Amino acid sequence: MSDVIIRIDDVYKQYRLGSIGGRTLQEDFQNITAKLLRRKDSDTDSAAVKSGERFYALSGVSLDIYRGDTLGIIGQNGAGKSTLLKLLSRVTAPTKGTISYNGRISSMLEVGTGFHPELTGRENVYLNGAILGMNKAEIDRKFDEIVDFAELSQFIDTPIKRYSSGMYVKLAFSVSAHLDADILIMDEVLAVGDVRFQQKCLQKMGAVASNEGRTVLYVSHNMATIRQLCNRCAVLEKGLLKYDGDVASGIEAYLSNQDTDQKVFNDLSDAVRPDFKYGGRSVLKSLELIGKENNYFVNDEKVSFLLEIENREDTDELHLQFSVKSMDEITVATFLSPDVFSVKKDTITRLKVTLDISEIVSGSYKMEIVVAKANHICNFVHYDKISAALCFTKELPTDTSYTLAWKTQKFGYIQNKKITIEKV
Amino acid sequence: MESKENIKFETVIRPKNKWFDLRLGEVIKYRDLVYVFVKRNFSTLYKQTILGPAWIVITEIITTVIYTIIFGNIANIGTNGVPTFLFYLSGNTVWGFFSKCFINTSTTFTSNAAIFGKVYFPRLVMPISVALTQLITFAIQFTLFLCFLVFYVFKGSVSPNYALMPLFFLLVIIMTVMSLGFGIIISSLTTKYRDLTVMISFGITVWMYITPIVYPISIVPDRWRLIFMLNPMSSIVEAFRYLFLGVGELKAGYLIYSSAIAVFAFLFGTILFNRIEKTFMDTV
């Protein structure tokens, strides 16, 4: 594992805030004359310094990337992900620090770079390929493969201004995916294209990364693709590397940081809720865990809480629904209220709810609660819905062989214990 | 992190390029890209036109006809006995190449910001491919000029200096290097100072009128002559006419001066370009 292919060494990237491009000759002349006259307020090169309008998109990031790594880079908007990729693809240079690498880097910061609408698909493949660093012989060799992958052989001699946006992206991705670079940089490339083509792209990228021993750096907000594609994960936060390691814990570190803190008492009256047509007839008021001082649930411990619902209308068939979701919005399990119940106008209903989450594996989760009226033909009329009414962490003892090897990406979030195996 | 010092990397990205590290080898590695860009520049220009590349010749003839009418017939500027049409065609051909090459390279950074912002390739590829595109256009227009020249030679109205004709290639090289040099200087500066884009558009017109394009240098009074020859394009246009039309001035001193300006502009330009290209995306 000591085959370092990229070394990012203490890299800083500074941007100047305010009107950067708007500097005119006049301002610079003023600066130069001020410098020559040695006015004491002008020892630094612009007025921006004085007001401190400088911003570090990256402030000291160091990272070693090994050959064959598929590194997912995640972080909130403005965390410095794209800046890092821009530095790696040499679009701009770091303010401080060095980046060293072996081999050729090809970046797909946005697919279809340099595509010219007037040119045909064929001409654009050559143009785009050359821009991305392939030479003509390489493109000649891969041309058929590229067109086949894009499923566009019929349209290859049509100007791409007549292409649909899907066709355009397919062709663009296809060129990038056939690059022979040692290091591939990808940023949100899967945002377009139909689902089937997206899956095809992911498979191709996975194949590129694993079979051909290439290194892939991938930035996305889509945790599912990060899970599917990457074997390593780096979390950036405000220009700093916050986490570097395996994918599942990286994603958790990133996501758990995003949501509200885990609280025992959750005041739900001001929570964000969708605008339902009949919304507000019965609304969730608060949720308080019973007999707990934190939100950690160990082993078979049940989630037990007191729920307050404020009723503004009479309702006969009130129904509740509790969905446990992973931090990347995958629904793990849903609990339905076994019966409907009646409530009276201008009262507060207090309910004690107990959920058995013993089969849910370790991790951070949030709970979505839906309040609805269930009528006799099983139509639900939504009254209220809160997507993260409660956040909690489930912990299983780590000394069992099960939990050590458990990969949610492969096995899911439920470890079903209703199994018996007997020798017969 | 244990073995931090003993790994050698092929590429190291540093905050700034060294002053003279022009990495021309890298440009050669990307020669296919130059070719593709040149091809693109041509094929996109005349897509969906009926006449296609014929426009290169048509525009040339139309401007020359206009010059002939205005400067030759109305203003009645002398041409030292050369047929007016051929005289203006020669000026037009030379100046057209120089000015287009200069203007198109001067917008390298600003007009390609979208591509430069996404992928890396040696930025010098862009101005080089622009210059090559213009060279090809020039070749077509020069052929047109030669056709008319042959016609007038048979008519007996011009007598070229055949022996000196190989000098033509030198003139083309000087012009290419000079327009590239000035172009990339301007393109590097426009990333910061947009004022220059405005200045260039009328500056090139002014430059044309202080260059002997629509008049021969011989009508310039002697006391102004030296100032006119300070313009590095003057001697080139005059030399071109001397070679092909047999009139004009050809002095080695002036040509050496022009070559020196060209080489200086090119070196200064590439160094400046090299400094700017790394971080221009942040300021453009």
Side-chain angles (χ1 to χ4, degrees):
Chain A
M1 276 296 278
S2 65
D3 193 5
V4 180
I5 191 159
I6 305 176
R7 167 159 294 156
I8 300 166
D9 193 11
D10 199 26
V11 161
Y12 288 78
K13 180 64 191 176
Q14 180 200 61
Y15 284 102
R16 204 179 288 159
L17 297 183
S19 58
I20 316 155
R23 278 182 81 173
T24 57
L25 219 51
Q26 194 196 354
E27 284 171 82
D28 264 22
F29 272 128
Q30 279 170 356
N31 264 322
I32 293 164
T33 42
K35 256 186 205 170
L36 290 174
L37 295 172
R38 287 179 193 279
R39 275 198 232 137
K40 66 171 191 275
D41 63 337
S42 60
D43 43 358
T44 32
D45 66 330
S46 102
V49 189
K50 278 178 268 168
S51 42
E53 285 179 293
R54 302 219 156 183
F55 162 76
Y56 278 95
L58 291 174
S59 35
V61 173
S62 295
L63 189 64
D64 273 0
I65 298 157
Y66 302 97
R67 189 178 298 277
D69 266 0
T70 316
L71 177 72
I73 302 172
I74 50 179
Q76 286 163 4
N77 287 330
K81 308 180 297 289
S82 300
T83 307
L84 185 64
L85 292 202
K86 275 187 176 171
L87 293 181
L88 280 166
S89 54
R90 299 171 74 181
V91 164
T92 182
T95 312
K96 222 177 98 186
T98 56
I99 296 170
S100 327
Y101 61 88
N102 283 323
R104 196 164 87 188
I105 292 190
S106 280
S107 72
M108 298 163 57
L109 288 193
E110 202 173 283
V111 289
T113 307
F115 265 27
H116 197 291
E118 294 286 347
L119 297 178
T120 66
R122 182 186 305 275
E123 289 166 319
N124 269 306
V125 168
Y126 279 94
L127 178 64
N128 190 228
I131 289 176
L132 294 172
M134 286 196 259
N135 58 36
K136 192 168 177 302
E138 256 178 276
I139 307 171
D140 281 339
R141 204 171 57 239
K142 296 207 165 179
F143 186 81
D144 290 337
E145 215 181 310
I146 290 172
V147 176
D148 278 352
F149 187 86
E151 304 157 346
L152 288 172
S153 39
Q154 204 185 331
F155 309 101
I156 200 65
D157 288 312
T158 306
I160 60 161
K161 65 179 173 182
R162 315 228 182 279
Y163 280 23
S164 71
S165 55
M167 288 155 74
Y168 181 94
V169 171
K170 278 180 180 183
L171 187 67
F173 178 86
S174 185
V175 178
S176 317
H178 288 83
L179 287 171
D180 250 338
D182 311 273
I183 304 159
L184 269 182
I185 295 179
M186 298 186 254
D187 189 0
E188 308 271 14
V189 284
L190 301 172
V192 216
D194 57 23
V195 179
R196 193 187 55 80
F197 193 74
Q198 280 184 16
Q199 278 305 317
K200 194 172 159 185
C201 296
L202 276 177
Q203 279 163 16
K204 175 77 189 170
M205 282 150 75
V208 162
S210 59
N211 300 345
E212 302 169 41
R214 263 185 233 164
T215 311
V216 177
L217 306 185
Y218 180 59
V219 162
S220 178
H221 288 288
N222 186 341
M223 295 305 141
T225 55
I226 295 262
R227 274 181 213 277
Q228 195 175 341
L229 202 68
C230 301
N231 63 14
R232 187 177 161 195
C233 178
V235 181
L236 284 175
E237 197 185 299
K238 290 176 184 145
L240 290 164
L241 186 67
K242 198 187 154 212
Y243 173 89
D244 172 27
D246 77 278
V247 177
S249 0
I251 290 176
E252 207 166 277
Y254 161 61
L255 291 171
S256 59
N257 180 52
Q258 256 191 328
D259 268 286
T260 46
D261 305 316
Q262 299 194 350
K263 283 179 296 193
V264 173
F265 179 81
N266 297 272
D267 184 0
L268 304 176
S269 37
D270 293 330
V272 186
R273 50 227 322 159
D275 203 7
F276 292 121
K277 191 178 177 191
Y278 298 102
R281 294 194 171 188
S282 284
V283 293
L284 294 159
K285 201 162 173 286
S286 71
L287 183 154
E288 187 178 6
L289 290 172
I290 297 170
K292 292 286 287 183
E293 283 176 358
N294 54 38
N295 294 28
Y296 282 83
F297 296 88
V298 187
N299 289 338
D300 291 346
E301 199 178 347
K302 291 186 170 77
V303 180
S304 187
F305 53 86
L306 191 70
L307 193 66
E308 286 192 338
I309 299 171
E310 193 181 332
N311 306 298
R312 292 167 192 162
E313 301 282 338
D314 290 348
T315 309
D316 283 337
E317 295 155 313
L318 204 65
H319 167 91
L320 293 172
Q321 192 177 313
F322 306 89
S323 295
V324 176
K325 293 187 166 195
S326 73
M327 284 298 173
D328 45 345
E329 303 291 333
I330 294 169
T331 305
V332 173
T334 295
F335 300 86
L336 301 178
S337 60
D339 287 312
V340 292
F341 42 90
S342 306
V343 292
K344 288 266 169 279
K345 190 180 176 181
D346 293 331
T347 57
I348 288 178
T349 310
R350 295 160 70 85
L351 302 165
K352 188 190 168 197
V353 184
T354 304
L355 308 174
D356 183 353
I357 58 163
S358 59
E359 291 185 342
I360 293 175
V361 298
S362 295
S364 294
Y365 299 95
K366 54 191 175 183
M367 191 168 68
E368 178 184 280
I369 304 179
V370 174
V371 181
K373 178 191 158 87
N375 65 17
H376 56 282
I377 51 165
C378 283
N379 256 337
F380 287 94
V381 181
H382 283 75
Y383 284 176
D384 197 14
K385 175 173 151 184
I386 293 175
S387 60
L390 173 73
C391 294
F392 65 92
T393 302
K394 172 75 189 283
E395 265 183 20
L396 293 169
T398 49
D399 55 341
T400 68
S401 52
Y402 280 134
T403 48
L404 273 178
W406 195 273
K407 287 194 173 72
T408 50
Q409 186 189 344
K410 272 190 177 168
F411 303 150
Y413 293 88
I414 302 289
Q415 184 189 334
N416 199 327
K417 289 166 185 162
K418 289 168 194 138
I419 177 171
T420 48
I421 297 176
E422 289 163 42
K423 266 196 180 154
V424 286
Chain B
M1 301 289 148
E2 322 79 47
S3 56
K4 205 154 189 165
E5 50 296 324
N6 48 25
I7 306 175
K8 270 275 176 205
F9 290 98
E10 292 165 19
T11 318
V12 180
I13 307 173
R14 291 177 210 287
K16 278 197 170 106
N17 285 339
K18 294 188 195 102
W19 280 104
F20 291 99
D21 181 16
L22 298 181
R23 303 190 315 278
L24 289 175
E26 212 182 12
V27 178
I28 293 166
K29 233 164 65 185
Y30 274 86
R31 61 185 180 279
D32 281 345
L33 185 59
V34 175
Y35 167 76
V36 168
F37 274 136
V38 171
K39 212 176 137 195
R40 178 200 70 174
N41 290 347
F42 265 106
S43 48
T44 55
L45 206 50
Y46 301 107
K47 283 256 164 158
Q48 283 200 7
T49 59
I50 298 167
L51 296 173
W55 277 111
I56 299 177
V57 173
I58 295 168
T59 48
E60 184 78 359
I61 291 176
I62 291 172
T63 22
T64 308
V65 166
I66 292 170
Y67 281 10
T68 312
I69 293 169
I70 292 175
F71 298 111
N73 294 359
I74 299 176
N76 219 351
I77 301 171
T79 57
N80 289 343
V82 175
T84 42
F85 182 79
L86 196 62
F87 182 86
Y88 292 117
L89 186 62
S90 68
N92 234 339
T93 308
V94 174
W95 184 255
F97 167 64
F98 177 79
S99 64
K100 282 209 196 81
C101 197
F102 172 60
I103 291 212
N104 289 350
T105 47
S106 74
T107 54
T108 302
F109 282 121
T110 39
S111 60
N112 292 303
I115 295 183
F116 285 179
K118 307 242 165 59
V119 281
Y120 173 81
F121 50 83
R123 304 316 192 199
L124 222 43
V125 161
M126 276 295 181
I128 289 174
S129 55
V130 167
L132 285 179
T133 311
Q134 292 308 327
L135 268 175
I136 296 169
T137 314
F138 177 66
I140 297 169
Q141 294 178 341
F142 182 70
T143 315
L144 177 76
F145 170 75
L146 282 185
C147 294
F148 281 102
L149 182 68
V150 168
F151 171 73
Y152 281 108
V153 167
F154 274 110
K155 259 180 82 180
S157 30
V158 278
S159 46
N161 289 305
Y162 296 107
L164 289 170
M165 276 198 187
L167 264 182
F168 165 69
F169 296 102
L170 180 71
L171 295 181
V172 174
I173 291 170
I174 298 174
M175 275 197 292
T176 314
V177 171
M178 187 152 61
S179 55
L180 255 180
F182 283 126
I184 57 185
I185 290 174
I186 298 294
S187 73
S188 308
L189 294 177
T190 41
T191 60
K192 255 183 147 184
Y193 313 109
R194 289 297 170 81
D195 320 50
L196 284 170
T197 34
V198 188
M199 268 166 64
I200 286 305
S201 56
F202 74 83
I204 196 77
T205 319
V206 174
W207 196 351
M208 189 186 103
Y209 285 110
I210 59 166
T211 308
I213 302 297
V214 296
Y215 55 87
I217 195 80
S218 56
I219 68 160
V220 176
D222 278 345
R223 56 199 161 109
W224 297 105
R225 188 68 64 83
L226 195 67
I227 295 172
F228 266 77
M229 293 317 271
L230 278 181
N231 170 6
M233 272 308 283
S234 298
S235 60
I236 291 175
V237 175
E238 281 298 304
F240 182 83
R241 288 205 177 117
Y242 186 78
L243 298 187
F244 293 100
L245 306 181
V247 293
E249 260 178 20
L250 178 70
K251 278 187 187 156
Y254 287 143
L255 276 186
I256 291 169
Y257 165 76
S258 295
S259 326
I261 294 276
V263 170
F264 175 77
F266 185 74
L267 282 183
F268 181 69
T270 37
I271 290 167
L272 196 64
F273 193 86
N274 190 40
R275 290 291 279 189
I276 298 283
E277 68 165 10
K278 275 220 153 177
T279 50
F280 96 97
M281 269 322 290
D282 307 335
T283 50
V284 75

